[in-house]
């Protein structure tokens, strides 16, 4: 039974169509991320769910009730903004209490709920502070508590972490995810940071030019992108040409290496040239233990990325990136060296178009 | 050499400004022959006409401030939130009172609302007071609007509004609990300016024939010697007090809103 349903959602600003036919069903308690490049309409969809924008077409349903024509203050939706948006004239306590006061809850209930919320975000000791007396990370946690206090049906977050520095960003996103799980609240999280989306979501919606290009779990999005846009947008992707040897068994010849893909290839005939995509981690340096080389080229650069080393290789004009674990014993390729790579069959994707 | 001229200019400016004040204050203290005394002040303050007109003007000033706040805060807020493209025009309209003489406005009022018109406001004292407050509100508009609009610029009006809406708040709650408190300092500086303007205003009150402080000062000035000087000093003190209060509240805001 889906909880939040978006059906044929559309939005135009004047003559500019910003959201085309957006469809999605979200289960109760799910954590969904909208991921996509700047200007693809993530915020617009979120604002339509919140009621700040009126859809040009389509409907929004929450728990079976049509919300499309409700005003924002009638929807009971929690919202967290990129710019925190705490009320500057109120203390932390009063900020968190605001929604409850507006709802006319008795004072004892408000006190208890605010304390509970502040405990959830580990800021009980700052309840008398004012927003300007706190760090960005603390302010955003208060904003989260404020949004959650009135027990909203859905929690919406629009790039809540982009204004914070890298370390806080990672710890706060985990905190958000943990709180979300604890409360079991249905959540939509907008981001343009793919690592963020991949690390905390149940499902990701990859958006492109006002449409949902692909909806799937982080694993599906990363390992089995269904469109070229998704494949290119999420993670680093190498694309090389291969010759189809046997479509039925999924066998292709890449350079000197003959590999069998996990699934048969449809829509192409044997002997045809096809495009194969693979992630940097699907390639390894060819050696006695691997098959013959699929790709041979000249190393352009090697960069440490912490636990892995990413090497860029120029293979006949195609720039290929591959990763190897940063182990003390590993031979790091140097610029100018010639390396041969073989590819793991289950890391290969055939691109449709 | 440069320094010399700078100091020279400053001193001349100060003298130009201060000498008449000193002269006036000096004169106001000389009512009793041969000695300095506060006789003129005692006389002025003890005059029942003074007490009546002054409290009348204070009442009207407070009403003007109230009306101004009710008019300007929601308007400036709404324009910023929903009609940002109208801002230059609204600002222009609020500046009109600076170029249209008060006398023109009053004659307009009298023409429109005289006893033989469809809304004979000038027929009763209360109706005339309503007109007067409306006129004062208009006179204060340039200062009030600018103060509030500047105050609104320091907060993120759109996002705060949306945050409050998503928490269930309606317009009344948003304006009274979020917007007004955040521009309170700006509203107060607008209010003190309004107060100073209304207390000293002459034209409107005189032409509408209401017992306000401005006309009283004028009458006193025409008929007495020492008392008008004392009264002018008092009026000056009130205005300066208002300006001082504006400084005080804006400093208070600085220490309350900036990160420490
Ligand atoms: N109020 C508006 N009036 C006109 N155009 C708008 C309005 N709001 C958004 N747009 C346009 O709609 C498109 C999508 O905007 P949106 O804010 O949804 O993008 P986004 O995916 O959130 O991008 P970002 O990652 O930069 O936040 C943009 O091209 C933007 O210019
Ligand atoms: Mg956005």
């Amino acid at each position: 039974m889906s909880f939040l349903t978006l059906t044929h959602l559309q939005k135009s600003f004047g003559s500019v169509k910003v959201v085309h036919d957006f469809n999605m069903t979200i289960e109760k308690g799910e954590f969904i991320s909208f991921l996509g490049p700047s200007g693809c309409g993530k915020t617009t969809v979120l604002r339509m769910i919140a009621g700040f924008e009126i859809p040009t077409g389509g409907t929004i349903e929450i728990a079976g009730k049509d919300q499309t024509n409700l005003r924002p203050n009638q929807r009971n939706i929690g919202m967290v903004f990129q710019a925190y948006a705490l009320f500057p004239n109120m203390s932390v306590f009063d900020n968190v209490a605001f929604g409850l006061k507006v709802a006319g809850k008795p004072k004892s209930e408000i006190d208890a709920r605010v304390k509970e919320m502040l405990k959830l975000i580990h800021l009980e000791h700052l309840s008398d502070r004012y927003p300007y007396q706190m760090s960005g990370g603390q302010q955003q946690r208060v904003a989260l508590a404020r949004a959650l206090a009135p027990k909203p049906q859905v929690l919406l977050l629009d790039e809540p972490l982009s204004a914070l520095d890298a370390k806080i960003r990672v710890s706060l996103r985990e905190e958000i995810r943990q709180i979300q799980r604890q409360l079991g609240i249905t959540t939509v999280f907008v981001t343009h940071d793919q690592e963020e989306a991949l690390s905390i979501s149940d499902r990701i919606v990859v958006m492109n030019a006002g449409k949902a290009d692909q909806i799937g779990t982080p694993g599906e999005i990363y390992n089995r992108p269904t469109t070229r846009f998704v494949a290119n947008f999420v993670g680093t992707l190498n694309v090389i040409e291969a010759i189809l040897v046997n479509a039925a068994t999924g066998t292709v010849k890449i350079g000197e290496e003959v590999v069998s893909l996990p699934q048969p290839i449809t829509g192409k005939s044997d002997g045809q040239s096809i495009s194969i995509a693979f992630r940097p981690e699907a390639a390894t340096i060819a050696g006695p233990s691997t098959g013959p080389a699929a790709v041979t080229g000249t190393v352009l650069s090697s960069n440490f990325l912490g636990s892995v080393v990413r090497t860029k290789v120029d293979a006949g004009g195609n720039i290929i990136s591959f990763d190897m674990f940063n182990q003390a014993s590993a031979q790091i390729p140097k610029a100018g060296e010639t390396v041969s790579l073989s590819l793991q069959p289950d890391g290969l994707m055939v691109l449709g178009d | 050499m440069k320094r010399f001229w700078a100091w020279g200019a400053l001193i001349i400016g100060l003298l130009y400004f201060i000498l008449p004040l000193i002269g006036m204050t000096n004169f106001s203290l000389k009512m009793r022959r041969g000695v300095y005394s506060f006789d003129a002040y005692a006389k002025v303050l003890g005059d029942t006409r003074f007490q009546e007109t002054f409290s009348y003007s204070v009442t009207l000033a407070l009403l003007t401030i109230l009306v101004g706040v009710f008019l300007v805060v929601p308007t400036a807020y709404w324009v910023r939130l929903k009609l940002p493209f109208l801002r230059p025009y609204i600002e222009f309209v609020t500046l009109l009172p600076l170029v249209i003489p008060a006398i023109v406005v009053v004659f307009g009022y009298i023409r429109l609302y005289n006893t033989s018109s469809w809304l004979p406001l000038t027929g009763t004292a209360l109706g005339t007071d309503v007109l007067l407050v409306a006129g004062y509100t208009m006179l204060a508009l340039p200062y009030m609007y600018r103060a509030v609009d500047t105050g609104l610029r320091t907060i993120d009006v759109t996002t705060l509004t949306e945050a409050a809406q998503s928490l269930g708040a309606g317009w009344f709650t948003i304006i009274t609990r979020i917007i007004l408190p955040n521009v309170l300092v700006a509203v107060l500086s607008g209010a003190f300016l309004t107060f100073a303007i209304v207390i000293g205003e002459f034209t409107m009150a005189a032409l509408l024939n209401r017992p306000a402080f401005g006309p009283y000062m004028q009458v006193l000035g025409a008929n007495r010697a020492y008392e008008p000087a004392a009264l002018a000093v008092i009026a000056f003190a009130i205005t300066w007090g208002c300006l001082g209060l504006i400084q005080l509240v804006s400093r208070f805001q600085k220490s309350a809103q900036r990160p420490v």
Side-chain angles (χ1 to χ4, degrees):
Chain A
M1 177 57 200
S2 81
F3 185 66
L4 171 58
T5 312
L6 310 178
T7 318
H8 299 302
L9 213 52
Q10 295 174 16
K11 178 71 190 176
S12 304
F13 290 107
S15 60
V16 187
K17 206 159 190 185
V18 171
V19 176
H20 310 255
D21 200 35
F22 190 97
N23 290 289
M24 157 137 227
T25 59
I26 298 174
E27 302 299 317
K28 197 166 169 62
E30 241 188 329
F31 192 108
I32 300 289
S33 290
F34 288 178
L35 176 64
S38 189
C40 70
K42 307 179 293 290
T43 299
T44 307
V45 173
L46 203 73
R47 289 172 58 81
M48 286 194 281
I49 301 175
F52 300 134
E53 304 284 358
I54 298 164
T56 324
T59 56
I60 298 163
E61 251 179 40
I62 298 177
K65 281 202 238 26
D66 188 8
Q67 309 277 317
T68 322
N69 297 315
L70 291 184
R71 284 197 300 270
N73 58 354
Q74 300 170 321
R75 293 195 185 193
N76 193 18
I77 284 179
M79 181 100 188
V80 176
F81 301 84
Q82 182 179 343
Y84 323 137
L86 293 180
F87 305 129
N89 56 316
M90 296 182 196
S91 67
V92 167
F93 186 98
D94 289 333
N95 263 283
V96 178
F98 185 81
L100 301 162
K101 281 186 189 156
V102 168
K105 294 271 190 286
K107 192 173 177 314
S108 58
E109 192 184 327
I110 295 178
D111 278 0
R113 180 74 180 159
V114 172
K115 289 221 175 73
E116 185 188 341
M117 288 293 110
L118 291 180
K119 200 164 169 204
L120 198 65
I121 56 164
H122 308 294
L123 289 180
E124 305 107 300
H125 56 295
L126 298 185
S127 77
D128 294 330
R129 289 262 182 108
Y130 281 83
Y132 72 91
Q133 298 170 313
M134 292 188 300
S135 72
Q138 289 170 334
Q139 289 189 50
Q140 197 58 298
R141 274 146 75 196
V142 174
L144 180 68
R146 180 181 67 177
L148 290 171
K151 302 191 175 147
Q153 313 186 72
V154 176
L155 177 65
L156 306 176
L157 305 104
D158 191 357
E159 309 206 21
L161 306 174
S162 351
L164 303 170
D165 69 49
K167 253 218 170 91
I168 308 280
R169 208 145 60 206
V170 172
S171 66
L172 190 51
R173 83 182 180 212
E174 267 143 31
E175 202 173 328
I176 290 175
R177 176 58 158 152
Q178 185 247 320
I179 289 172
Q180 183 270 340
R181 279 218 177 90
Q182 197 176 329
L183 302 180
I185 183 165
T186 313
T187 301
V188 180
F189 183 97
V190 165
T191 178
H192 58 245
D193 180 337
Q194 42 172 301
E195 190 199 319
E196 218 164 84
L198 290 168
S199 63
I200 56 173
S201 319
D202 288 320
R203 284 193 296 156
I204 296 174
V205 182
V206 183
M207 288 187 60
N208 178 26
K211 291 194 310 290
D213 240 40
Q214 184 176 358
I215 303 178
T217 64
E220 283 165 1
I221 296 287
Y222 192 79
N223 295 319
R224 291 197 293 284
T226 52
T227 70
R228 191 177 273 259
F229 173 81
V230 175
N232 277 315
F233 187 75
V234 182
T236 305
L237 196 78
N238 300 298
V239 179
I240 51 172
E241 296 305 305
I243 305 292
L244 184 52
V245 176
N246 186 336
T249 58
T251 310
V252 297
K253 189 169 184 219
I254 308 168
E256 297 300 310
E257 188 184 13
V258 176
V259 285
S260 291
L261 302 185
Q263 66 278 347
I265 296 160
T266 53
K268 301 273 174 170
S269 49
D270 296 359
Q272 236 183 325
S273 167
I274 57 172
S275 296
I276 297 282
F278 63 92
R279 301 282 181 201
E281 57 271 28
T284 44
I285 293 184
S289 59
T290 67
V295 183
T296 302
T298 315
V299 174
L300 294 173
S301 62
S302 284
N303 294 313
F304 283 98
L305 303 177
S307 60
V308 297
V309 179
R310 172 157 298 177
T311 304
K312 286 205 165 86
V313 175
D314 180 352
N318 272 347
I319 308 294
I320 306 274
S321 300
F322 79 96
D323 290 348
M324 51 196 289
F325 282 113
N326 179 20
Q327 291 158 324
S329 61
Q331 288 269 317
I332 308 297
K334 290 188 190 58
E337 269 179 40
T338 302
V339 292
S340 296
L341 303 175
S342 51
L343 305 173
Q344 286 150 17
D346 57 1
L348 301 182
M349 300 168 257
V350 177
L351 293 182
D353 44 301
Chain B
M1 207 50 191
K2 248 187 179 158
R3 268 183 106 80
F4 173 78
W5 287 116
W7 278 106
L10 184 68
I11 288 169
I12 289 173
L14 280 177
L15 287 180
Y16 179 79
F17 183 68
I18 286 178
L19 271 184
L21 268 182
I22 295 178
M24 186 173 70
T25 314
N26 185 38
F27 183 70
S28 74
L29 296 170
K30 279 189 167 167
M31 197 176 190
R32 200 178 303 169
R33 203 171 289 272
V35 284
Y36 282 124
S37 72
F38 285 103
D39 283 5
Y41 292 85
K43 212 148 186 187
V44 167
L45 294 176
D47 182 358
T48 51
R49 285 287 297 148
F50 168 85
Q51 290 157 8
E52 280 163 22
T53 56
F54 190 72
S55 48
Y56 176 82
S57 281
V58 167
T59 313
L60 253 61
L62 295 179
L63 284 174
T64 305
I65 289 167
L66 270 187
V67 174
V69 170
F70 272 108
L71 185 72
V72 168
V73 172
T75 309
Y77 166 65
W78 199 253
V79 168
R80 267 199 179 262
L81 189 68
K82 300 273 177 180
L83 313 162
F85 56 94
L86 280 183
R87 255 190 76 220
Y89 304 102
I90 302 275
E91 212 170 297
F92 176 74
V93 169
T94 62
L95 288 179
L96 283 179
L98 292 182
V99 285
I100 299 177
I103 193 161
V104 173
V105 176
V106 171
F107 276 116
Y109 280 172
I110 292 174
R111 253 191 94 93
L112 265 177
Y113 303 111
N114 62 37
T115 41
S116 54
S117 73
W118 58 278
L119 189 61
L121 281 177
T122 54
T124 61
L126 185 68
T128 317
D129 287 346
V130 169
L131 271 187
L132 199 51
V133 167
Y136 286 162
T137 306
M138 196 209 67
L139 281 186
L141 208 54
Y143 312 100
M144 204 57 163
Y145 187 84
R146 295 206 142 217
V148 171
D149 197 50
T150 310
L152 285 174
R153 195 177 322 154
T154 62
I155 57 173
D156 182 349
V157 170
T158 317
T159 318
L160 290 183
T161 301
E162 288 178 353
Q165 280 180 319
S166 71
L167 291 165
W171 292 118
F172 182 76
T173 311
I174 294 176
I175 290 180
T176 53
R177 303 270 289 276
I178 314 276
I179 301 302
L180 195 56
N182 279 302
V183 296
L184 195 60
V185 169
V187 167
L188 282 179
S189 16
F192 291 131
L193 268 177
T194 307
F195 190 84
I197 292 170
V198 171
I199 290 295
E201 208 281 334
F202 170 76
T203 318
M204 289 193 169
L207 288 172
L208 288 174
N209 195 22
R210 296 302 297 150
F213 190 55
Y216 169 73
M217 283 202 281
Q218 200 273 336
V219 170
L220 200 70
N223 301 313
R224 297 293 176 90
Y226 296 96
E227 287 90 335
L231 199 57
V233 172
I234 292 171
F236 237 104
I238 293 169
T239 313
W240 280 49
C242 287
L243 294 178
L245 284 173
I246 293 174
Q247 288 295 318
L248 200 71
V249 290
S250 34
R251 190 158 315 155
F252 172 74
Q253 170 176 28
K254 274 191 199 104
S255 57
Q257 301 232 327
R258 301 284 169 269
V260 266

